[in-house]
Amino acid sequence: MKRLNRRKFMATSALAMLYGASPAWLRASGTTTSRTSATVPWRNWSGALEAHPAGRFAATSEEHLAQFLATTQGAVRPVGSGHSFSPLVPTDGQLIVIDQLHGLLDHDPAALTATFGAGTRLGDMGAPLQAAGQAMFNLPDIDRQTLAGATATATHGTGINFKCLSGYVTALRLVTPAGDIVDVDATSDPQLFNAARVSLGALGIITRMTMQNRTPYRLKQTTWLEKTDVLLANFDQHVAQYRHFEIFPLTHSDYAMALATDETSEPINNPTPSPEEDAAFDDAMSGWRMVPPAMRKPLINGMAMMIEPSERVDTSYKILTNVRSNRFNEMEYAVPLANGAACLEEILWTIDEQNLDVVFPLEYRYVARDDTWLSMSSGDEDHAAISVHRIASEDYRPYFDVIEPIFWKYGGRPHWGKVHSLGAAQLGRLYPRFAEFQALRARLDPQGRMLNDHLRKVFGVTG
Ligand SMILES: Cc1cc2nc3c(=O)[nH]c(=O)nc-3n(C[C@H](O)[C@H](O)[C@H](O)COP(=O)(O)OP(=O)(O)OC[C@H]3O[C@@H](n4cnc5c(N)ncnc54)[C@H](O)[C@@H]3O)c2cc1C
């Protein structure tokens, strides 16, 4: 039987849903909020969220932004690159855009810290950091998010020793809803610092952030397919052995793709996949998604067994992030680490048992604990982050509605930037400092001008 390498497999199988390229958002039929006429619509990355803001305020400087907030009234919502799946951004007021507040502003070679404009995309940080002799400890799956947007939702990568991005913020500048410019760090105002590092854009507009970094490094990533139960049985060993480890369990299959990543001094070897090769395999196997879910297992298992392990080596930030051009919607919960495997197994069992027609793989990662008030890993426990996905053109609700209670059963906290249905009552039970955040938010924004319907539900604000 012909062997497949990982890139070919990913271009032609369920994994292509994550790694492929198709403008599915053009066909998306999603939730619509805040519709008025004669405005330029805003849509999120997946296309499921749409809003018609009254206008967009593009800040050219911190002073410009402060003056705008001090001299206007009414609803405002900061927006990053629109990569959240939850309706954090939609407003019929003003969208605050800080794209022009970007780039490396300062760095400290001794402390290995660097300050960026908060509108900088994560993907625009790696090269200037490298030139300054620094690199970020970890990164999420993609690098299109802004620094402010990513930290606002506690965006994370994988690795048992690595916190979410917010855990590496050492200082930030906040323009409050009243238009005051405040510099915040762990000593100047520890309460505000620990709240503002994961703030859902509810405390003000963050204009710059200082990150703790390290020296530049190179990573080698090894990818292989293995039976999910074997991977789970050896999970603790893999997690301890590799700097980063994650798995993508394939639905309606016994297999998962494993990604193990470690520091290396080996030469760079990170070839771009050949489109011709991928197209040939795409032709050969494009029909498998038409097979009913209950009959897919032998097909997917057979494909999985043909996959050869692969390796790539590159500068850290080029290995840690990927391109996800095939649009989808996602729900992710962080469950206490000890519950991770059982929660994942119950989700996979439920998908099979209820014959749910899901082609997207799940994703299972690790995030270390931190001391912010609202990160999904805040507190004294490390967490496992488990994601489920649905192609953007399909209604995600029926699938996510079945899976979400499983996350609750295992003590999960929803990713702030991904689909969830929780309100203030449930969230207050999940976060010991939630009431303090609510009080701080009310003090900084007594008029509630930074709230939208979603945030009113999240923070329990009525009227
Ligand atoms: C393809 C894809 C892959 C992803 N991969 C990961 C992953 O690997 N790990 C992970 O944890 N998440 C992941 N996410 C989720 C994503 O990282 C978060 O939703 C993130 O918050 C999006 O950042 P953004 O810049 O697009 O911000 P937006 O989605 O535009 O906004 C997010 C929040 O930030 C606030 N905000 C934006 N700018 C400011 C500001 N200047 N001041 C204050 N608040 C502000 C907004 O008001 C909002 O509350 C992924 C999302 C997608 C679409």
Side-chain angles (χ1 to χ4, degrees):
M1 191 183 286
K2 187 155 185 166
R3 302 287 293 173
L4 295 178
N5 69 31
R6 179 187 66 92
R7 289 185 192 282
K8 291 170 186 169
F9 179 73
M10 291 200 306
T12 58
S13 70
L15 293 174
M17 294 297 110
L18 275 177
Y19 287 83
S22 148
W25 69 276
L26 291 172
R27 305 186 301 276
S29 56
T31 316
T32 300
T33 56
S34 313
R35 179 172 288 280
T36 61
S37 59
T39 57
V40 178
W42 171 89
R43 286 188 190 86
N44 75 330
W45 176 84
S46 75
L49 300 171
E50 181 179 320
H52 289 253
R56 286 166 168 79
F57 176 78
T60 56
S61 68
E62 288 158 338
E63 294 70 28
H64 184 215
L65 173 61
Q67 189 193 22
F68 173 80
L69 290 170
T71 57
T72 58
Q73 292 184 334
V76 292
R77 285 300 300 145
V79 63
S81 64
H83 276 63
S84 294
F85 303 98
S86 58
L88 292 166
V89 169
T91 180
D92 54 12
Q94 294 284 331
L95 277 185
I96 307 280
V97 182
I98 61 154
D99 286 2
Q100 294 175 73
L101 309 183
H102 72 106
L104 178 61
L105 305 176
D106 194 12
H107 67 99
D108 181 335
L112 291 172
T113 56
T115 303
F116 280 89
T120 311
R121 303 266 181 144
L122 300 179
D124 295 331
M125 293 172 67
L129 276 178
Q130 175 131 322
Q134 297 186 26
M136 290 171 78
F137 282 95
N138 203 4
L139 282 164
D141 240 9
I142 59 159
D143 62 10
R144 292 296 78 210
Q145 307 94 320
T146 59
L147 182 57
T151 50
T153 63
T155 290
H156 60 84
T158 190
I160 195 67
N161 294 315
F162 299 102
K163 298 176 279 193
C164 67
L165 292 188
S166 308
Y168 297 99
V169 174
T170 62
L172 57 90
R173 182 168 292 174
L174 182 75
V175 182
T176 68
D180 298 320
I181 300 178
V182 192
D183 283 319
V184 194
D185 64 26
T187 46
S188 70
D189 188 340
Q191 309 277 310
L192 181 55
F193 180 62
N194 287 333
R197 283 188 288 161
V198 183
S199 70
L200 285 61
L203 301 181
I205 316 291
I206 294 170
T207 55
R208 59 178 64 196
M209 301 187 110
T210 304
M211 305 292 292
Q212 180 65 59
N213 298 312
R214 53 155 290 176
T215 50
Y217 56 109
R218 193 172 285 179
L219 289 173
K220 175 175 178 174
Q221 186 168 76
T222 307
T223 307
W224 72 95
L225 272 285
E226 192 170 343
K227 288 215 164 159
T228 307
D229 57 357
V230 176
L231 280 166
L232 287 177
N234 297 322
F235 229 75
D236 292 348
Q237 181 196 328
H238 289 317
V239 168
Q241 180 179 351
Y242 301 110
R243 188 177 195 268
H244 309 271
F245 186 71
E246 68 182 301
I247 64 170
F248 291 93
L250 307 183
T251 53
H252 305 296
S253 148
D254 296 319
Y255 283 81
M257 184 173 79
L259 267 74
T261 309
D262 258 327
E263 281 193 60
T264 185
S265 53
E266 289 180 29
I268 288 176
N269 175 22
N270 191 13
T272 312
S274 142
E276 294 78 23
E277 273 183 343
D278 288 347
F281 277 83
D282 208 13
D283 284 349
M285 296 182 216
S286 61
W288 82 263
R289 277 180 225 134
M290 306 305 290
V291 177
M295 296 167 66
R296 280 187 202 149
K297 190 171 273 194
L299 178 61
I300 301 176
N301 283 352
M303 287 176 70
M305 283 189 287
M306 290 194 293
I307 307 305
E308 293 167 346
S310 69
E311 291 177 353
R312 58 189 190 122
V313 175
D314 214 328
T315 310
S316 59
Y317 63 89
K318 294 183 183 172
I319 291 290
L320 290 171
T321 59
N322 303 280
V323 175
R324 301 273 187 253
S325 44
N326 201 336
R327 311 280 161 146
F328 53 82
N329 286 297
E330 181 174 344
M331 179 167 66
E332 176 186 304
Y333 270 70
V335 300
L337 192 56
N339 297 344
C343 181
L344 177 71
E345 283 169 336
E346 185 164 340
I347 293 171
L348 286 168
W349 179 85
T350 303
I351 291 170
D352 274 347
E353 181 70 13
Q354 299 200 18
N355 209 17
L356 301 175
D357 188 355
V358 182
V359 291
F360 249 98
L362 278 63
E363 189 172 12
Y364 185 104
R365 295 182 279 184
Y366 288 108
V367 192
R369 66 194 78 177
D370 66 61
D371 55 0
T372 65
W373 285 0
L374 291 193
S375 116
M376 291 79 76
S377 294
S378 72
D380 53 13
E381 275 180 298
D382 302 328
H383 278 69
I386 305 175
S387 308
V388 294
H389 312 78
R390 195 68 155 171
I391 300 167
S393 57
E394 296 175 346
D395 181 6
Y396 58 76
R397 242 321 135 200
Y399 173 37
F400 290 4
D401 283 351
V402 171
I403 303 302
E404 192 171 17
I406 302 175
F407 287 129
W408 299 337
K409 184 175 154 189
Y410 290 95
R413 291 167 166 170
H415 190 305
W416 297 111
K418 302 188 184 182
V419 174
H420 71 90
S421 68
L422 298 193
Q426 299 103 321
L427 291 162
R429 287 194 285 274
L430 294 172
Y431 289 95
R433 312 299 292 266
F434 197 73
E436 287 167 83
F437 191 100
Q438 286 171 303
L440 184 62
R441 189 212 64 75
R443 180 164 65 74
L444 284 168
D445 186 19
Q447 313 298 328
R449 69 182 304 201
M450 299 205 63
L451 297 175
N452 63 9
D453 289 347
H454 177 68
L455 289 177
R456 275 187 205 93
K457 178 180 173 188
V458 161
F459 293 121
V461 180
T462 51

